[in-house]
Each structure stands twice: as C-alpha cells, then as structure tokens.
Amino acid sequence: MIEAKQSEFLLGCRDKLKELIAILDRDFEYASVLATDVTGLTYSVNQKTTSVSQLRDSERGFVVRVYKDGGYSEYSFNEIGDVHTLADKIRNNLLNQSRILKNAAKLDTPLLHEEAVTREFAGEVSEEFYEPDNQMILGKLKRLSDKGASYDGVINCSVTYNMKLINKMFISRNKNLIQGWGYSLVSCFFVVMKDEQTQYNYFGEEGWQGSDIIDKQYERFEAAYDDAVAMIGAPNIEPGEYEIICTPRAAGLIAHEAFGHGVEMDMFVKDRAIAKQHMGEKLASTITNMYDGAEGVKQTASYFFDDEGTLAQKTQIIRKGYLVSGICDALSAARLHVQPTGNGRRESFERKAYTRMTNTYFGTQANTLEEMIKATQYGFLVDGVESGMEDPKHWGIQCMLARAKEIRNGVLTGKVFTPVVLTGYVPDLLSNISMLGTDIGLEGSGYCGKGYKEWVVVSDGGPYLKTKVRLG
Amino acid sequence: MERIINILKEAQVSDFRIMEVKKTSHQAFFVRQFLDQHRISETVHTTLDVYMDTEENGQKFRGRASKEIYPGESDEEIRKDVEQLKLNASLAKNPFYEIVKDEKYREEEKDYDLMSLLSEVVQGVQNVRDTDSEKINSYEVFVNGYYYHIVNSQGTDVAFNTMNEEVEIVINSVDDGHEIEIYHDSTFAGKPISEITDDILEVFRIARDRTKAVPTKKMMNARVLLSGDFNPDFFDYFLTRTNSRYVFYGESQTKIGDDCQRESEGDKITLRLVSELPHSSDNMPYSKDGNKALDLTVIENGIYQNYWGDQITGYYLGMEKITDANNFVVEPGTKSVAEMKQEPYLEIIKFSDFGMDGITGNFGGEIRLGYYYDGEKVIPVTGGSITCNMEKSLKHIYLSQETKQYDNCIVPCTIELFDVNVAGEQ
C-alpha cells in the first residue's frame, strides 16, 4: 500500500479556481468551489462476456456555491476556460435566476463562517490503482466466475471488480483542502435454476485495498449457493411478530433505515423527522450504541472532508439506548445553529449537497451467534439485504430481505422462507434489542437515495443482533 | 468531436462510437414556500467507445472499452486515452457483434428557456394553497434540457433534443394533532401547469385519508386491488423478462411464444412499447447505441412476442429489430374499477416502497395507505405489508378498463389480485 497521490488535474486547476473565488468574493458575501476528479475501472467477467470500462461514478467537474442577500445558490460546470468569462457567466446566470424566483421569500440562512484551514489528506491505496495489471485482474475474475458456474444448476455467474480513486479539492476564502483516497470492491452475482424455478444470490466485499480482495471470495461460494438453492420453492412466511437474529448486513440495513435517515438534520429543518423532538430520550435498549461517520473506519463512504469542506467526524447517534446526536450538513447546521458533522454529500458535482449518511453501524456487545440462536424459542435468522425505506416522521421502517431461516427451540431447523418484508416502529425495534455480537461487519457496495434520487455510496453494518419485529 | 474522430482515425481502431451530451439543468429547492437555494448546471459529457477486433482459429472476436473524454483535454491526453482504450478493448474479447449502421437523423440544438420554465413549474406548485389540515412541507423542482449527438464509425450520425421536468414534493396532513407526511415524485415533459397543480391536490386527498387511517388487519387469502403510482413497476416485470440483457445472461428464461398466463383466469396481459408518448420524459427517438426507437408488441394476451434491448445482446440473440424500451402502454382489462369494488377488498394506494424482483417475480411492500371495504363501509388503513409472486398472481388477475398515464407509460388504474396474505395487526 502507498499514500494516494493528489490529482494532477485538480492541482493544475487550483490557481484558476483560487482566482475564480477571489473574483466571486467581490460580488458575493461567500463563495466556494468543490472540484472533483473521480476515476476508476470496472472489470466484469461472466460466462458469456468480459469487459473493462471506466467506472460508472467517474467524474471531473466543479460546483461553485455563493451567498448573497440571505440566500445560497450554486453553479455546476465541467470546463473552466477563461476565469473572468466563467465568473461573469456564473454571476449573471445565478443573479438572473434569483430575479426570476424573486417572488419566493428566502429561507432564513446565516452566512457560513469558516475557520481558516489549509490541509492535504491522503489515504492508503494499493499501488496497482495507478498501474493496474488488467490481465491478472481479469484472470482472477474468470477463475471466480468459473467456480461459481461449476455449481449444479448455475446458469451464469457474473463477477465485477471496481477500483475507484477519489480526489477532491475545496477552496474558499478561508479554506484550501485537497484529498485523495481509493477503494476496491468485488461482487459476485449468480443465477441458479432448479425445477424450472429461478433464484439468485450475491455476495461481495470492499475496502481500502487492491485486487487481493478478489482472492478472498472463492471460499464464500459454497454458503451463498446453499442459500440460493434453499430459497427455490421456499414458502412465504406466515405474517406475524417474531424474535429475529439479524446478520451484520441485515443489522446494517436496520441501522441505516432506523436512525440513519431519521437523524439526517436537513430533515429537522423541514420538520420531517420526529427525532428532533426526542433528542436526549431513551429510545433503544441500554445495550444499544449506534454510530455514523466518514472518520473512524476505512470503508466506501470514508473520506477526510465532505463536499462542503467540513472535516470528517465520527458521530455517536445512540449512546446506551439514548438518542444523543444527529448528523448534519453545513447549511442545515447554520439554520439549526449547531456544528456540522461532515455529512454534506453530493451525488455528483452536478447535484445539491444534502445531509447524508456515511458509514452507519451498531456498536458491539459480548454475545455470540450461537448464544443468540440458543436463546430463541421460535424465530428466524434473517439475511439477504434487498432494499429499505424509512418514515422519519413516524419512525416507521420497512426492510426487504431475501430470506428467513427458521429457529425452533434454540436450533436452526434448516427451513427457509422467502422473501421477507420486515416492518415495525423504530423505538420498539431498538428497545427490543436484547443481544449484540462481538464483531462489526460493514458492507459498502450499496447506494442510498434521498427519496428516490441523489444516490451516494454508503456502508452500514453492525454485529449479529437479536430483537423482535413483525415479518410478512 | 471532430478532433476526437481525427485522433481515432490515426489510432487504427476497429470501430468507435462517440456520444456527446450537452446538459443544462435549472433547479429550485423550497422548504414550505421559502426558497432554500437554487442551482444551475451546464455541462458537456463526451463518452468514447473503442472497439478492437481479433481473430482466433477463424473465429472473429470483438472487445469494447469506454471512457469519458473531458472538456479541455489536449490532443496528447486524448491520444493517451485512446491507446488505453485500445488495450482494454483488446483484453475484453467477446463474440463478434456489429454496431449500428448508417442511421441518420438530425435535429438542430434547441434553445430551451429553462429558467422561465423553472419559474412556471414553481408557480404550478405555488398555485396550491395550504388548507387547514394539509400543507406543503417542502419541494424540489428540476427542469433539464439535453442535446444528444451520437456518431459511430459505421456511418451512424444522429442528433436530437430531449427535455424533462421533475417535481418532488412532501405533503403534511394533520388530524386531531396527528400529523403524517406523503412523499410524491413525478417526472414529465411539457405537461400543462394546471395538471401539476391538480396532481398535488390529489396528493392532498391521499394525505388527508392517511391521517384517518387505522392499522391494517392481518388477512389471509384476501382480494387486493393495486391502484397507485407503483402500478407501472408491476408491469416492469414483463419488461425485465423480455430485456435482451436478462435473456442473454440467463437471468430471464423467457422464450418468444411462451404463455405466462396458461390456464389462468381473468384478463390477459398485453404490453406494447411506443416510441412516442405525449408528455413523457422518455421520448428519445434513438437509443444511445444509435438504434431508432420503435413501436413493438412485447406481450400479447399473455404470450411473449418480442424482446427489446441494447445493440450487443440484441445482436447476440439474433433480434431482427433492436429497440430500447422508452415508453409503454398496457391494454385495459375487462372490469371497471366500480365492478372490482362491489365485494370486500383491500385497495392499496401507497406503499412505503414497492419492490418488484424481475428475476424471481417476488413483489410487495409495506402499506402506507390503503382502503379496506368490509362489504358495508370503506376504511382507510395503514401499516402491514403484502408479499406475492408474479407466477402465482398471473393465474388469476383482472385489469381495470380505466387507464392512467404515469410519465412514460399508460397502465390500468387498478390491478385485481386474489388469495393475497396481508401481514398486519392480529
């Protein structure tokens, strides 16, 4: 592993962008620019085709934020050209649009006050990110795909490996920040057909490492294949309330949907989150701790500063069952008169910044999975994350899970139900947490939307977790 | 674009495709009726695909690699990109396929007045007045204009404009101190402003009913009516099953001529792709591969008629006509909504998040608003969930005679399902 290099493209733009901000500072009370250079490759191999292409999330561009007469506006672009011409264009376009929208009163927002800070951050990356051995990587993926396809009934096995290098720079009157880091991600997806019924399963891993991550996946096929086969023809679960044990991935989905979205503080500004009225209250069992932060773990949603130039933090959301903090972007923090937590994130330089989760997870306790199963009279071990949705206004939660494995009298019976809709009231679900495992598993291959758009990479997880909830 | 083509000619690639998209977006964000912020985005994205052919034992292979060529890149940087793409394409050795040949279409770039349009759409939302019980919590408006220019080395050269508008809105409703919210997102193109206002008033009605909703009861073998903006997702199942990518990679086992409703009761499904639909945000006359958008019957009376999809997998499957699916229309059924509502039912209007798995056919979600009719009265309900499977559901299904347009599709207003288990209060 080596220290990530800073983007030559960004460094090459720095002087022009400083000049741009200096010009805009004359006309606006605040001006900043975020510049992004995200590069990477996606390698895909299945039993029919192979591809090597630019990573879907790759981007190179800029977003300027300005403040005038009590309101913020932004201009996104991907070509600088002459700085004075660009400054004129930004100023004229944004002021024209302000005039067109003049009938709407502005949401009261104080001017951002930024402490002076100049810093350069570099994460660790594998050397191969800069000079990848494509042939070697494709060879590893082919062997992995072939292994998956060798199982009885598997129609196709698609394996994908992503290498992503993220470089961002933030410049304002007081801030001059630049960062570089990268991560890799491997995923395996296979379709199995038996008795004319089709089922699929997937697994993967991600982290701040290189293509070694591919090698670790060979041994995971057996269990994934067994799960897929067990789901073929499996019945639906009888609707009802049950004791459940969540795998770390399922626990992560609950963390994300329960008090992840529920404490995004831009929702506090809109009065869309009930958590605003319950800060400091006990809403979970005393063994429950929950965190969010780009700092503290090395996962896909880790970074050094966010898309508004706020340094990353680790925020404890639940401490010993008490809701102690939300997470916040810079503008919402200014409106709520609190400090931002480094959670201002954009889907891309072309989109608005919102309060977004980063790496969200439950803390550990001392129970083993075996102890949890033994402690279950009748219930299920739930796994296979598909999707989730929250209702921060009422603490409703919906999680779509692939399967529930039956537990009777403290023993897994081998019977599987699919698919599973987990629903409930967040404080009930969290208050019912009775056991937590010893090791945190984080999963970061997913994207999280705000509503049904604004997709950003997040990771979530936790230890194995035992609670009680409604399944259907 | 000319500069890139000249460099590609020097570089001796087997084939290439260049897609240039000029995108302009104007956006406004409101908290209640206060302007949170507004944005403008003006970008040009140029994607280059390079194809490299090889031959082994008399068999021809083709590889493709893609990359965005960023504005401001020098000739030297583009040459370096092309060399890397040639190398990557050579490694991705796949059975040979042809790229789209000799498609020609030219629209001049339109100068949409998106700033004024943004103001008009905002006005459409602001025309809605809060009531004593319902109010607008927050909303976001996006108006986007695109100019596509797609050129390849086989004589295809198409250029066209598209645009769309999006309104995302959150409505609050309060009843006796109990406040709820309804989230609504709609995308469209050129819809009359009065319809934007009417859509929001309809969301007000849904929100009002949700405040009066009681918890959904657990039910076994219930008759369930699906009547919401998730109805298009229900029919997406048939599009997934006939998508050439899913078929080629084995994720769909659908064969042309298969009857997915053999020995079934009720209405048969007929779904057609249509190249153009008024006010759809998906009226792309050509696909990104350069294939012309066509009208195509995907499924007729339950029998699969045609696949649709991209150029590569379409070529591999030997499809005669290759077209993308932009807009679709599902034929109406035989029962009116009123007929469907004569016997007890659970009608679902809003899910928290409706999920349809096109591979397994599993679908369902948590009920955010439904109406339960017990034979005497209609009661708004909330909470609980349904979990179903398409294979089973298609054996007994009715579609309403009435249809409704949701952006890029026209589908029956109501879908009637039988023997559905509903998770809810005991």
Side-chain angles (χ1 to χ4, degrees):
Chain A
M1 300 291 277
I2 57 168
E3 195 172 86
K5 298 172 190 171
Q6 300 301 343
S7 155
E8 285 178 24
F9 168 74
L10 295 184
L11 292 170
C13 297
R14 182 146 64 183
D15 288 345
K16 278 190 165 189
L17 293 174
K18 281 183 177 175
E19 191 184 352
L20 176 69
I21 293 305
I23 297 168
L24 294 172
D25 268 338
R26 290 179 213 142
D27 295 312
F28 296 95
E29 295 163 71
Y30 170 88
S32 68
V33 61
L34 174 78
T36 69
D37 183 15
V38 180
T39 60
L41 286 169
T42 295
Y43 304 78
S44 296
V45 176
N46 60 62
Q47 292 299 295
K48 297 192 168 181
T49 55
T50 299
S51 70
V52 183
S53 271
Q54 186 179 41
L55 192 72
R56 195 184 62 172
D57 296 349
S58 298
E59 65 166 13
R60 192 179 267 191
F62 316 90
V63 52
V64 161
R65 172 183 279 176
V66 294
Y67 180 83
K68 192 177 178 68
D69 300 331
Y72 284 92
S73 53
E74 293 188 338
Y75 185 85
S76 302
F77 55 101
N78 63 348
E79 185 166 20
I80 298 176
D82 176 70
V83 175
H84 288 274
T85 309
L86 175 64
D88 286 346
K89 194 175 177 185
I90 292 171
R91 183 193 309 110
N92 295 339
N93 275 314
L94 291 179
L95 292 180
N96 277 343
Q97 190 155 279
S98 286
R99 275 191 283 275
I100 276 190
L101 296 168
K102 69 177 185 303
N103 288 341
K106 293 191 179 89
L107 184 68
D108 184 30
T109 310
L111 178 63
L112 288 174
H113 287 289
E114 296 176 338
E115 299 292 321
V117 53
T118 297
R119 286 187 71 176
E120 185 173 321
F121 302 93
E124 284 183 342
V125 293
S126 164
E127 282 177 89
E128 63 182 34
F129 275 43
Y130 297 102
E131 281 188 37
D133 183 342
N134 292 340
Q135 203 126 27
M136 178 269 290
I137 291 168
L138 287 172
K140 284 184 178 192
L141 294 176
K142 177 80 172 85
R143 284 193 293 282
L144 196 55
S145 173
D146 287 348
K147 180 170 171 66
S150 70
Y151 285 92
D152 183 35
V154 170
I155 294 166
N156 199 1
C157 176
S158 300
V159 292
T160 301
Y161 173 67
N162 292 343
M163 282 190 314
K164 186 173 183 179
L165 270 172
I166 302 139
N167 289 90
K168 296 191 180 186
M169 183 164 71
F170 183 89
I171 296 170
S172 65
R173 189 183 299 163
N174 287 332
K175 287 191 174 178
N176 190 344
L177 303 170
I178 190 163
Q179 62 181 341
W181 79 103
Y183 64 82
S184 62
L185 182 154
V186 59
S187 66
C188 308
F189 172 88
F190 60 93
V191 178
V192 56
M193 191 172 173
K194 287 205 163 178
D195 306 325
E196 293 191 359
Q197 290 187 65
T198 309
Q199 189 52 262
Y200 63 87
N201 203 359
Y202 65 92
F203 60 91
E205 191 177 340
E206 56 289 311
W208 289 29
Q209 53 192 307
S211 62
D212 297 351
I213 201 169
I214 301 171
D215 306 329
K216 300 176 192 168
Q217 308 309 313
Y218 290 88
E219 60 201 35
R220 297 180 66 188
F221 265 114
E222 194 78 35
Y225 174 76
D226 288 347
D227 280 340
V229 170
M231 285 192 286
I232 292 176
N236 293 152
I237 208 160
E238 165 133 4
E241 193 172 66
Y242 299 101
E243 286 183 86
I244 62 163
I245 299 166
C246 298
T247 60
R249 291 200 62 189
L253 182 63
I254 289 173
H256 182 97
E257 301 299 344
F259 268 148
H261 283 297
V263 295
E264 289 170 337
M265 291 172 75
D266 53 353
M267 304 293 248
F268 288 16
V269 173
K270 296 173 180 173
D271 284 326
R272 287 189 61 195
I274 192 173
K276 185 181 177 182
Q277 282 94 49
H278 296 274
M279 296 305 293
E281 292 181 16
K282 188 166 182 296
L283 297 165
S285 64
T286 49
I287 60 168
T288 306
N289 293 292
M290 201 183 118
Y291 308 87
D292 179 274
E295 191 185 62
V297 293
K298 290 181 176 177
Q299 250 290 346
T300 52
S302 304
Y303 47 74
F304 300 95
F305 60 84
D306 70 7
D307 293 339
E308 300 176 297
T310 305
L311 299 187
Q313 295 177 24
K314 175 181 173 182
T315 305
Q316 183 157 14
I317 295 168
I318 299 175
R319 183 183 295 128
K320 295 181 179 176
Y322 286 85
L323 177 61
V324 290
S325 180
I327 54 176
C328 206
D329 65 279
L331 294 191
S332 299
R335 287 163 181 156
L336 295 165
H337 308 290
V338 298
Q339 289 301 310
T341 58
N343 288 78
R345 302 183 67 194
R346 301 172 189 273
E347 177 182 284
S348 76
F349 73 90
E350 297 180 59
R351 309 292 290 195
K352 177 180 179 285
Y354 298 80
T355 300
R356 306 307 301 269
M357 277 175 270
T358 54
N359 309 297
T360 314
Y361 49 97
F362 285 109
T364 57
Q365 291 291 343
N367 297 114
T368 64
L369 173 62
E370 291 69 30
E371 287 169 345
M372 292 184 206
I373 294 172
K374 208 173 268 183
T376 305
Q377 194 67 28
Y378 186 78
F380 298 94
L381 173 64
V382 297
D383 189 22
V385 167
E386 292 186 350
S387 64
M389 184 54 71
E390 83 302 345
D391 177 9
K393 189 89 188 164
H394 295 100
W395 279 333
I397 182 171
Q398 170 193 320
C399 299
M400 300 288 283
L401 299 160
R403 55 195 167 268
K405 298 176 179 177
E406 188 184 59
I407 304 167
R408 196 180 282 277
N409 300 325
V411 178
L412 282 162
T413 64
K415 195 167 182 188
V416 174
F417 297 83
T418 185
V420 182
V421 183
L422 179 158
T423 55
Y425 179 59
V426 169
D428 287 350
L429 191 157
L430 297 181
S431 297
N432 285 332
I433 293 176
S434 55
M435 298 172 97
L436 285 154
T438 52
D439 299 307
I440 291 172
L442 277 168
E443 201 276 327
S445 65
Y447 286 76
C448 165
K450 193 92 167 169
Y452 286 91
K453 55 185 186 60
E454 316 298 342
W455 301 98
V456 296
V457 173
V458 293
S459 86
D460 43 55
Y464 280 96
L465 170 161
K466 185 169 181 289
T467 185
K468 203 158 93 177
V469 74
R470 182 189 290 161
L471 302 179
Chain B
M1 195 178 266
E2 281 308 310
R3 202 160 58 101
I4 300 172
I5 291 172
N6 288 336
I7 289 170
L8 286 163
K9 280 178 182 164
E10 290 167 20
Q12 295 182 322
V13 301
S14 302
D15 267 316
F16 65 82
R17 183 210 65 146
I18 305 170
M19 180 174 72
E20 184 185 86
V21 186
K22 291 182 187 170
K23 181 182 173 188
T24 307
S25 178
H26 291 251
Q27 309 159 9
F29 304 82
F30 291 82
V31 177
R32 291 172 292 284
Q33 292 293 7
F34 296 106
L35 183 64
D36 165 347
Q37 62 178 280
H38 64 92
R39 307 187 75 258
I40 298 171
S41 179
E42 292 182 310
T43 55
V44 179
H45 296 282
T46 306
T47 307
L48 169 63
D49 296 344
V50 163
Y51 301 84
M52 293 301 286
D53 297 343
T54 51
E55 214 165 307
E56 237 173 65
N57 303 323
Q59 201 187 338
K60 217 170 163 188
F61 294 93
R62 165 158 279 196
R64 177 180 69 167
S66 307
K67 187 187 179 299
E68 180 170 355
I69 304 296
Y70 296 110
E73 278 196 39
S74 66
D75 286 2
E76 200 45 51
E77 285 170 315
I78 297 172
R79 277 192 193 96
K80 205 172 147 195
D81 285 340
V82 169
E83 285 310 311
Q84 189 60 53
L85 287 169
K86 281 171 67 179
L87 193 67
N88 291 347
S90 305
L91 290 169
K93 203 174 72 176
N94 298 309
F96 181 78
Y97 55 89
E98 290 176 0
I99 60 173
V100 180
K101 282 184 184 166
D102 297 325
E103 286 287 352
K104 304 277 188 212
Y105 180 75
R106 187 84 191 174
E107 277 178 23
E108 292 308 314
E109 187 177 350
K110 282 186 189 164
D111 189 14
Y112 295 112
D113 183 0
L114 296 177
M115 216 181 265
S116 298
L117 183 58
L118 177 75
S119 169
E120 286 171 28
V121 178
V122 167
Q123 190 57 52
V125 181
Q126 293 185 340
N127 286 343
V128 178
R129 295 281 162 233
D130 288 353
T131 67
D132 288 345
S133 52
E134 282 73 47
K135 64 178 184 195
I136 292 172
N137 171 285
S138 49
Y139 61 100
E140 300 185 353
V141 177
F142 300 77
V143 296
N144 306 307
Y146 307 84
Y147 184 62
Y148 284 84
H149 188 189
I150 300 161
V151 171
N152 74 21
S153 50
Q154 292 294 327
T156 292
D157 187 346
V158 298
F160 55 90
N161 298 276
T162 67
M163 60 88 61
N164 63 50
E165 298 142 78
E166 182 177 3
V167 175
E168 185 200 59
I169 189 160
V170 175
I171 303 296
N172 287 138
S173 180
V174 64
D175 181 56
D176 202 17
H178 172 61
E179 189 175 71
I180 61 93
E181 77 168 35
I182 293 284
Y183 171 94
H184 182 73
D185 187 281
S186 63
T187 307
F188 48 87
K191 198 155 86 169
I193 299 304
S194 61
E195 287 187 26
I196 297 171
T197 308
D198 291 346
D199 280 355
I200 297 168
L201 290 172
E202 173 64 11
V203 183
F204 267 35
R205 188 189 65 76
I206 290 171
R208 195 174 310 131
D209 282 352
R210 198 184 158 206
T211 59
K212 300 177 189 335
V214 299
T216 309
K217 297 273 185 218
K218 178 179 171 179
M219 286 179 261
M220 304 301 280
N221 304 315
R223 198 164 65 89
V224 167
L225 309 180
L226 303 180
S227 305
D229 55 9
F230 47 84
N231 280 16
D233 299 329
F234 181 89
F235 295 104
D236 259 350
Y237 171 80
F238 302 101
L239 291 175
T240 304
R241 303 301 295 173
T242 50
N243 182 333
S244 58
R245 280 191 70 79
Y246 280 77
V247 174
F248 177 71
Y249 289 114
E251 290 156 22
S252 164
Q253 303 301 315
T254 298
K255 305 254 183 317
I256 300 306
D258 280 356
D259 184 350
C260 68
Q261 290 185 281
R262 206 174 44 236
E263 295 168 15
S264 67
E265 282 181 68
D267 291 330
K268 303 283 190 183
I269 309 288
T270 294
L271 183 152
R272 302 181 209 283
L273 302 182
V274 289
S275 54
E276 207 172 330
L277 199 61
H279 305 310
S280 163
S281 66
D282 268 352
N283 284 334
M284 299 253 296
Y286 284 83
S287 73
K288 290 172 183 174
D289 293 323
N291 278 315
K292 192 171 172 26
L294 301 172
D295 294 345
L296 189 78
T297 302
V298 168
I299 180 168
E300 187 157 35
N301 294 322
I303 299 171
Y304 288 111
Q305 304 291 323
N306 284 292
Y307 301 134
W308 61 275
D310 62 32
Q311 173 65 18
I312 300 178
T313 55
Y315 183 91
Y316 285 157
L317 292 178
M319 286 160 56
E320 271 180 39
K321 294 176 191 170
I322 302 176
T323 186
D324 221 336
N326 298 333
N327 308 303
F328 68 92
V329 173
V330 176
E331 296 290 317
T334 54
K335 281 190 188 180
S336 68
V337 174
E339 283 174 279
M340 289 177 177
K341 292 186 173 177
Q342 282 173 357
E343 299 289 323
Y345 61 81
L346 171 68
E347 181 181 33
I348 303 172
I349 301 293
K350 274 267 177 199
F351 282 101
S352 300
D353 183 24
F354 180 77
M356 167 59 79
D357 186 327
I359 298 178
T360 62
N362 292 328
F363 66 93
E366 187 198 27
I367 301 161
R368 200 153 270 187
L369 176 67
Y371 297 103
Y372 175 62
Y373 175 57
D374 60 6
E376 289 179 6
K377 56 187 182 306
V378 177
I379 307 154
V381 295
T382 188
S385 63
I386 63 164
T387 312
C388 309
N389 184 274
M390 274 305 251
E391 202 179 331
K392 187 183 158 206
S393 298
L394 286 173
K395 293 206 177 304
H396 194 184
I397 189 168
Y398 283 95
L399 309 178
S400 66
Q401 292 167 347
E402 299 87 341
T403 58
K404 182 171 179 179
Q405 180 169 353
Y406 294 96
D407 185 20
N408 66 334
C409 61
I410 298 175
V411 298
C413 291
T414 300
I415 303 161
E416 184 180 19
L417 305 174
F418 298 84
D419 297 324
V420 177
N421 291 343
V422 180
E425 283 202 346
Q426 298 285 346

